[in-house]
Amino acid sequence: MSEQAPATLPPIEVLPRDISAYRKGNRGVDYVHTLDSGQPGPHVLVNGLTHGNEFCGMTAVTHLLDSGLRPVRGKLTLSLSNVDAYHLFDAAKPYDSRYVERDFNRLWDDALLDGPTPGPDLDRARALRPIFTEVDALLDLHSTSSPMPPMLIYQPMAKYLPLSAHMHSPLHHVLLRGVKHAGRPLIQYGAYADPDAVPLGIVVECGQHFAKSAGDVAIGVAIRFLDFFGMVPPALSAAHPALAGEPMRYEIEQSVVSKSEQFRFARPWQGFEELQQGDLIATDGDEEIRAPFPRCTIVMPSGRVTVGRDMVLLAKPV
Ligand SMILES: [Zn+2]
């Protein structure tokens, strides 16, 4: 989703660590490891660092590798995507290492991947494409620039319902219809976006980029994901139970784009506040932006005004 740095920097509880020990995998592509149970079953993938400054996926992937986990059935691939961007991290400018030149999560069109355009992010996507297209399911771990409740993001297709219902963590589900951005995200690439094809691609936004809690969420979510496919031992599954309560599902209806530097939120929205039709969301100069429909729900409010960018998504509970 969109990235805009908050006006004030949050505490940086997690710094990048040396991950060179994970570089040499067993797939002929750096930072990709496949663990084969030797038993029949699905092939699933847990991926981190689609965005270089989103450390929770690195935390979860390295944790799973370090833990000595072996899948009970099928194959588990663990990957770290935009490692070049990760290596650019500068604590004084922590939002600048999302990618090197181009957002890795906006490249997923065959015409672009097959084309001649050079670049480190594109080349990394090209190297990883055979991995992403061979699996039955992908969990892509992300985090958000501002602190907000973790959320599961998937496409509104029947094939996603059993997985999302089983994971039951996180409990905020955001249904992503169509391609909202210029450039296709990874979970909307190829078979992931085909309602009749088996492969599933989901994102979990695990919390704020630099919060330790985001890494903890990512580990728990990864175990829940693997548990759906019957790939983790019962004791590990039991240690990461489904959260209490029922998932809330939201469908994005529209985005609010700032027209001026005077854009101001009416309240410091955290995400998932439900408004009544007509409630004031923000002002943009003289213009008042009010909830355009009943049960209008705030999703991913931006921490900083950038003219012409999405400031907040407005969703409806479904
Ligand atoms: Zn991200």
Side-chain angles (χ1 to χ4, degrees), residues 24-161:
K24 186 172 161 30
N26 58 355
R27 300 301 309 277
V29 181
D30 284 353
Y31 298 99
V32 181
H33 301 255
T34 294
L35 311 174
D36 188 345
S37 69
Q39 302 298 317
H43 183 181
V44 310
L45 171 60
V46 177
N47 178 63
L49 296 182
T50 286
H51 291 130
N53 64 343
E54 300 185 0
F55 302 145
C56 63
M58 177 277 294
T59 300
V61 164
T62 57
H63 170 83
L64 292 172
L65 287 166
D66 293 345
S67 71
L69 173 71
R70 286 292 173 274
V72 172
R73 61 194 283 260
K75 288 193 281 190
L76 167 60
T77 293
L78 298 164
S79 59
L80 297 173
S81 284
N82 204 340
V83 176
D84 285 350
Y86 173 78
H87 284 142
L88 294 177
F89 184 77
D90 175 350
K93 296 181 286 182
Y95 295 93
D96 287 6
S97 50
R98 181 173 172 85
Y99 49 83
V100 183
E101 293 176 0
R102 297 180 67 137
D103 190 332
F104 183 92
N105 206 28
R106 303 285 183 271
L107 303 176
W108 293 93
D109 284 295
D110 282 329
L112 179 60
L113 294 167
D114 290 332
T117 310
D121 315 276
L122 259 171
D123 285 344
R124 183 62 176 155
R126 288 169 178 136
L128 287 165
R129 178 164 55 161
I131 309 286
F132 292 141
T133 52
E134 74 178 8
V135 298
D136 299 301
L138 158 71
L139 169 62
D140 193 18
L141 292 165
H142 288 250
S143 54
T144 48
S145 57
S146 299
M148 60 186 77
M151 66 191 92
L152 175 60
I153 301 173
Y154 53 96
Q155 296 170 88
M157 297 176 186
K159 71 176 185 174
Y160 284 99
L161 294 179

